[in-house]
mmCIF file of all heavy atoms in Angstrom:
data_model
loop_
_atom_site.group_PDB
_atom_site.id
_atom_site.type_symbol
_atom_site.label_atom_id
_atom_site.label_comp_id
_atom_site.label_asym_id
_atom_site.label_seq_id
_atom_site.Cartn_x
_atom_site.Cartn_y
_atom_site.Cartn_z
ATOM 1 N N LEU B 1047 139.888 226.152 178.218
ATOM 2 C CA LEU B 1047 140.107 225.685 176.886
ATOM 3 C C LEU B 1047 140.784 226.692 176.030
ATOM 4 O O LEU B 1047 140.487 227.894 176.060
ATOM 5 C CB LEU B 1047 138.795 225.271 176.267
ATOM 6 C CG LEU B 1047 138.064 223.999 176.728
ATOM 7 C CD1 LEU B 1047 136.631 224.086 176.401
ATOM 8 C CD2 LEU B 1047 138.741 222.765 176.210
ATOM 9 N N ASP B 1048 141.725 226.288 175.237
ATOM 10 C CA ASP B 1048 142.349 227.197 174.210
ATOM 11 C C ASP B 1048 141.697 226.904 172.872
ATOM 12 O O ASP B 1048 141.515 225.777 172.468
ATOM 13 C CB ASP B 1048 143.874 226.849 174.024
ATOM 14 C CG ASP B 1048 144.707 227.502 175.130
ATOM 15 O OD1 ASP B 1048 144.148 228.111 176.127
ATOM 16 O OD2 ASP B 1048 145.955 227.370 175.049
ATOM 17 N N VAL B 1049 141.458 228.018 172.154
ATOM 18 C CA VAL B 1049 140.883 227.912 170.815
ATOM 19 C C VAL B 1049 141.773 228.775 169.909
ATOM 20 O O VAL B 1049 141.807 230.033 170.075
ATOM 21 C CB VAL B 1049 139.418 228.331 170.776
ATOM 22 C CG1 VAL B 1049 138.929 228.437 169.279
ATOM 23 C CG2 VAL B 1049 138.576 227.334 171.503
ATOM 24 N N GLY B 1050 142.499 228.146 169.017
ATOM 25 C CA GLY B 1050 143.342 228.905 168.022
ATOM 26 C C GLY B 1050 144.446 229.691 168.686
ATOM 27 O O GLY B 1050 144.936 230.708 168.163
ATOM 28 N N ARG B 1051 145.014 229.134 169.800
ATOM 29 C CA ARG B 1051 146.090 229.862 170.481
ATOM 30 C C ARG B 1051 147.419 229.218 170.056
ATOM 31 O O ARG B 1051 147.639 228.028 169.996
ATOM 32 C CB ARG B 1051 145.948 229.732 172.011
ATOM 33 C CG ARG B 1051 144.634 230.334 172.489
ATOM 34 C CD ARG B 1051 144.694 230.650 173.973
ATOM 35 N NE ARG B 1051 145.495 231.794 174.212
ATOM 36 C CZ ARG B 1051 145.574 232.376 175.455
ATOM 37 N NH1 ARG B 1051 144.994 231.745 176.498
ATOM 38 N NH2 ARG B 1051 146.315 233.426 175.623
ATOM 39 N N SER B 1052 148.383 230.128 169.769
ATOM 40 C CA SER B 1052 149.695 229.648 169.240
ATOM 41 C C SER B 1052 150.387 228.820 170.347
ATOM 42 O O SER B 1052 151.133 227.879 169.932
ATOM 43 C CB SER B 1052 150.610 230.878 168.919
ATOM 44 O OG SER B 1052 150.743 231.776 170.023
ATOM 45 N N ARG B 1053 150.167 229.030 171.599
ATOM 46 C CA ARG B 1053 150.863 228.339 172.621
ATOM 47 C C ARG B 1053 150.562 226.878 172.721
ATOM 48 O O ARG B 1053 151.256 226.001 173.195
ATOM 49 C CB ARG B 1053 150.655 228.905 173.978
ATOM 50 C CG ARG B 1053 149.215 228.802 174.537
ATOM 51 C CD ARG B 1053 149.018 229.455 175.898
ATOM 52 N NE ARG B 1053 147.701 229.137 176.435
ATOM 53 C CZ ARG B 1053 147.339 229.601 177.678
ATOM 54 N NH1 ARG B 1053 148.115 230.332 178.343
ATOM 55 N NH2 ARG B 1053 146.086 229.274 178.077
ATOM 56 N N THR B 1054 149.337 226.446 172.164
ATOM 57 C CA THR B 1054 148.921 225.133 172.116
ATOM 58 C C THR B 1054 148.627 224.618 170.662
ATOM 59 O O THR B 1054 147.810 223.783 170.393
ATOM 60 C CB THR B 1054 147.717 224.871 172.988
ATOM 61 O OG1 THR B 1054 146.698 225.913 172.734
ATOM 62 C CG2 THR B 1054 148.014 224.890 174.440
ATOM 63 N N GLY B 1055 149.366 225.209 169.712
ATOM 64 C CA GLY B 1055 149.370 224.674 168.346
ATOM 65 C C GLY B 1055 148.194 225.092 167.522
ATOM 66 O O GLY B 1055 147.828 224.445 166.536
ATOM 67 N N LEU B 1056 147.498 226.212 167.863
ATOM 68 C CA LEU B 1056 146.442 226.824 167.093
ATOM 69 C C LEU B 1056 145.225 225.850 166.971
ATOM 70 O O LEU B 1056 144.354 226.012 166.125
ATOM 71 C CB LEU B 1056 146.904 227.131 165.701
ATOM 72 C CG LEU B 1056 148.081 228.075 165.532
ATOM 73 C CD1 LEU B 1056 148.477 228.374 164.138
ATOM 74 C CD2 LEU B 1056 147.741 229.420 166.224
ATOM 75 N N VAL B 1057 145.111 224.855 167.888
ATOM 76 C CA VAL B 1057 144.027 223.864 167.876
ATOM 77 C C VAL B 1057 142.726 224.495 168.483
ATOM 78 O O VAL B 1057 142.815 225.186 169.453
ATOM 79 C CB VAL B 1057 144.415 222.603 168.600
ATOM 80 C CG1 VAL B 1057 143.284 221.624 168.733
ATOM 81 C CG2 VAL B 1057 145.599 221.974 167.882
ATOM 82 N N ASP B 1058 141.642 224.165 167.929
ATOM 83 C CA ASP B 1058 140.336 224.474 168.613
ATOM 84 C C ASP B 1058 140.062 223.236 169.574
ATOM 85 O O ASP B 1058 139.527 222.243 169.181
ATOM 86 C CB ASP B 1058 139.178 224.553 167.581
ATOM 87 C CG ASP B 1058 137.860 224.901 168.136
ATOM 88 O OD1 ASP B 1058 137.659 224.608 169.376
ATOM 89 O OD2 ASP B 1058 137.055 225.492 167.506
ATOM 90 N N GLN B 1059 140.503 223.420 170.788
ATOM 91 C CA GLN B 1059 140.485 222.355 171.749
ATOM 92 C C GLN B 1059 138.994 221.876 172.031
ATOM 93 O O GLN B 1059 138.709 220.642 172.193
ATOM 94 C CB GLN B 1059 141.195 222.693 173.048
ATOM 95 C CG GLN B 1059 142.682 222.890 172.813
ATOM 96 C CD GLN B 1059 143.419 223.183 174.120
ATOM 97 O OE1 GLN B 1059 142.829 223.628 175.106
ATOM 98 N NE2 GLN B 1059 144.727 222.973 174.096
ATOM 99 N N ALA B 1060 138.116 222.821 172.117
ATOM 100 C CA ALA B 1060 136.710 222.449 172.409
ATOM 101 C C ALA B 1060 136.157 221.583 171.293
ATOM 102 O O ALA B 1060 135.516 220.623 171.563
ATOM 103 C CB ALA B 1060 135.920 223.776 172.547
ATOM 104 N N GLN B 1061 136.405 221.963 170.071
ATOM 105 C CA GLN B 1061 135.853 221.223 168.933
ATOM 106 C C GLN B 1061 136.554 219.838 168.856
ATOM 107 O O GLN B 1061 135.932 218.832 168.550
ATOM 108 C CB GLN B 1061 136.065 221.988 167.630
ATOM 109 C CG GLN B 1061 135.401 221.313 166.419
ATOM 110 C CD GLN B 1061 133.900 221.314 166.570
ATOM 111 O OE1 GLN B 1061 133.268 222.264 166.931
ATOM 112 N NE2 GLN B 1061 133.324 220.130 166.263
ATOM 113 N N ALA B 1062 137.871 219.825 169.105
ATOM 114 C CA ALA B 1062 138.599 218.544 169.009
ATOM 115 C C ALA B 1062 138.082 217.495 170.025
ATOM 116 O O ALA B 1062 137.888 216.360 169.736
ATOM 117 C CB ALA B 1062 140.093 218.796 169.275
ATOM 118 N N ILE B 1063 137.880 217.939 171.276
ATOM 119 C CA ILE B 1063 137.271 217.102 172.272
ATOM 120 C C ILE B 1063 135.869 216.635 171.935
ATOM 121 O O ILE B 1063 135.554 215.452 172.122
ATOM 122 C CB ILE B 1063 137.377 217.781 173.678
ATOM 123 C CG1 ILE B 1063 138.819 218.045 174.074
ATOM 124 C CG2 ILE B 1063 136.643 216.955 174.729
ATOM 125 C CD1 ILE B 1063 138.965 219.006 175.312
ATOM 126 N N ALA B 1064 135.060 217.572 171.516
ATOM 127 C CA ALA B 1064 133.667 217.279 171.149
ATOM 128 C C ALA B 1064 133.635 216.229 170.002
ATOM 129 O O ALA B 1064 132.816 215.298 170.041
ATOM 130 C CB ALA B 1064 132.937 218.544 170.749
ATOM 131 N N MET B 1065 134.476 216.421 169.026
ATOM 132 C CA MET B 1065 134.438 215.436 167.907
ATOM 133 C C MET B 1065 134.904 214.049 168.392
ATOM 134 O O MET B 1065 134.311 213.021 167.970
ATOM 135 C CB MET B 1065 135.421 215.955 166.812
ATOM 136 C CG MET B 1065 134.893 217.153 166.037
ATOM 137 S SD MET B 1065 136.004 217.703 164.727
ATOM 138 C CE MET B 1065 135.983 216.169 163.668
ATOM 139 N N HIS B 1066 135.874 213.984 169.221
ATOM 140 C CA HIS B 1066 136.328 212.683 169.792
ATOM 141 C C HIS B 1066 135.220 212.000 170.519
ATOM 142 O O HIS B 1066 135.083 210.755 170.499
ATOM 143 C CB HIS B 1066 137.537 212.918 170.636
ATOM 144 C CG HIS B 1066 138.203 211.640 171.132
ATOM 145 N ND1 HIS B 1066 139.336 211.155 170.495
ATOM 146 C CD2 HIS B 1066 137.862 210.786 172.094
ATOM 147 C CE1 HIS B 1066 139.657 209.998 171.089
ATOM 148 N NE2 HIS B 1066 138.793 209.771 172.100
ATOM 149 N N LEU B 1067 134.419 212.813 171.292
ATOM 150 C CA LEU B 1067 133.341 212.186 172.110
ATOM 151 C C LEU B 1067 132.002 212.113 171.338
ATOM 152 O O LEU B 1067 131.124 211.479 171.913
ATOM 153 C CB LEU B 1067 133.089 213.076 173.386
ATOM 154 C CG LEU B 1067 134.277 213.196 174.279
ATOM 155 C CD1 LEU B 1067 134.054 214.273 175.301
ATOM 156 C CD2 LEU B 1067 134.631 211.877 174.980
ATOM 157 N N GLY B 1068 131.909 212.619 170.105
ATOM 158 C CA GLY B 1068 130.670 212.618 169.392
ATOM 159 C C GLY B 1068 129.628 213.442 169.991
ATOM 160 O O GLY B 1068 128.372 213.087 170.092
ATOM 161 N N MET B 1069 130.012 214.645 170.519
ATOM 162 C CA MET B 1069 129.106 215.539 171.234
ATOM 163 C C MET B 1069 128.986 216.847 170.476
ATOM 164 O O MET B 1069 129.884 217.262 169.698
ATOM 165 C CB MET B 1069 129.591 215.820 172.625
ATOM 166 C CG MET B 1069 129.559 214.547 173.581
ATOM 167 S SD MET B 1069 130.105 214.997 175.230
ATOM 168 C CE MET B 1069 129.501 213.560 176.113
ATOM 169 N N ARG B 1070 127.903 217.515 170.709
ATOM 170 C CA ARG B 1070 127.749 218.948 170.334
ATOM 171 C C ARG B 1070 128.270 219.857 171.386
ATOM 172 O O ARG B 1070 128.315 219.445 172.554
ATOM 173 C CB ARG B 1070 126.262 219.234 169.970
ATOM 174 C CG ARG B 1070 125.740 218.417 168.844
ATOM 175 C CD ARG B 1070 124.261 218.660 168.627
ATOM 176 N NE ARG B 1070 123.506 218.123 169.743
ATOM 177 C CZ ARG B 1070 123.193 216.863 169.950
ATOM 178 N NH1 ARG B 1070 123.659 215.948 169.081
ATOM 179 N NH2 ARG B 1070 122.474 216.511 170.980
ATOM 180 N N LEU B 1071 128.506 221.137 171.048
ATOM 181 C CA LEU B 1071 129.084 222.021 172.079
ATOM 182 C C LEU B 1071 128.654 223.457 171.939
ATOM 183 O O LEU B 1071 128.310 223.908 170.813
ATOM 184 C CB LEU B 1071 130.556 221.923 172.109
ATOM 185 C CG LEU B 1071 131.288 222.667 170.959
ATOM 186 C CD1 LEU B 1071 131.903 223.948 171.425
ATOM 187 C CD2 LEU B 1071 132.384 221.791 170.365
ATOM 188 N N PHE B 1072 128.715 224.202 173.012
ATOM 189 C CA PHE B 1072 128.737 225.668 173.032
ATOM 190 C C PHE B 1072 129.986 226.098 173.726
ATOM 191 O O PHE B 1072 130.343 225.502 174.795
ATOM 192 C CB PHE B 1072 127.476 226.203 173.691
ATOM 193 C CG PHE B 1072 126.266 226.172 172.865
ATOM 194 C CD1 PHE B 1072 125.176 225.386 173.268
ATOM 195 C CD2 PHE B 1072 126.082 226.963 171.739
ATOM 196 C CE1 PHE B 1072 123.993 225.287 172.552
ATOM 197 C CE2 PHE B 1072 124.930 226.839 170.965
ATOM 198 C CZ PHE B 1072 123.872 226.035 171.376
ATOM 199 N N PHE B 1073 130.659 227.083 173.189
ATOM 200 C CA PHE B 1073 131.885 227.597 173.719
ATOM 201 C C PHE B 1073 131.706 229.063 174.123
ATOM 202 O O PHE B 1073 131.063 229.858 173.393
ATOM 203 C CB PHE B 1073 133.050 227.475 172.753
ATOM 204 C CG PHE B 1073 134.338 228.135 173.221
ATOM 205 C CD1 PHE B 1073 135.073 227.561 174.223
ATOM 206 C CD2 PHE B 1073 134.807 229.256 172.531
ATOM 207 C CE1 PHE B 1073 136.307 228.165 174.634
ATOM 208 C CE2 PHE B 1073 135.993 229.890 172.921
ATOM 209 C CZ PHE B 1073 136.763 229.246 174.001
ATOM 210 N N ASN B 1074 132.191 229.422 175.289
ATOM 211 C CA ASN B 1074 132.113 230.792 175.713
ATOM 212 C C ASN B 1074 133.519 231.387 175.979
ATOM 213 O O ASN B 1074 134.124 231.011 177.008
ATOM 214 C CB ASN B 1074 131.303 230.898 177.027
ATOM 215 C CG ASN B 1074 131.214 232.331 177.563
ATOM 216 O OD1 ASN B 1074 131.143 233.303 176.795
ATOM 217 N ND2 ASN B 1074 131.305 232.532 178.845
ATOM 218 N N PRO B 1075 134.064 232.268 175.128
ATOM 219 C CA PRO B 1075 135.357 232.731 175.348
ATOM 220 C C PRO B 1075 135.328 233.822 176.404
ATOM 221 O O PRO B 1075 134.517 234.761 176.346
ATOM 222 C CB PRO B 1075 135.752 233.401 173.931
ATOM 223 C CG PRO B 1075 134.442 233.682 173.313
ATOM 224 C CD PRO B 1075 133.449 232.651 173.839
ATOM 225 N N THR B 1076 136.206 233.688 177.414
ATOM 226 C CA THR B 1076 136.291 234.755 178.444
ATOM 227 C C THR B 1076 137.420 235.668 178.147
ATOM 228 O O THR B 1076 137.503 236.790 178.656
ATOM 229 C CB THR B 1076 136.531 234.083 179.819
ATOM 230 O OG1 THR B 1076 137.637 233.223 179.769
ATOM 231 C CG2 THR B 1076 135.273 233.250 180.267
ATOM 232 N N VAL B 1077 138.374 235.163 177.350
ATOM 233 C CA VAL B 1077 139.531 236.024 176.908
ATOM 234 C C VAL B 1077 139.680 235.927 175.325
ATOM 235 O O VAL B 1077 139.722 234.814 174.879
ATOM 236 C CB VAL B 1077 140.813 235.656 177.583
ATOM 237 C CG1 VAL B 1077 142.000 236.492 177.063
ATOM 238 C CG2 VAL B 1077 140.734 235.819 179.075
#
Side-chain angles (χ1 to χ4, degrees):
L1047 288 158
D1048 280 4
V1049 171
R1051 302 198 74 176
S1052 58
R1053 68 179 187 180
T1054 47
L1056 304 177
V1057 174
D1058 184 334
Q1059 294 182 341
Q1061 188 63 46
I1063 294 168
M1065 288 182 64
H1066 188 99
L1067 297 171
M1069 292 181 166
R1070 295 174 295 281
L1071 75 103
F1072 283 113
F1073 174 70
N1074 180 39
T1076 55
V1077 176

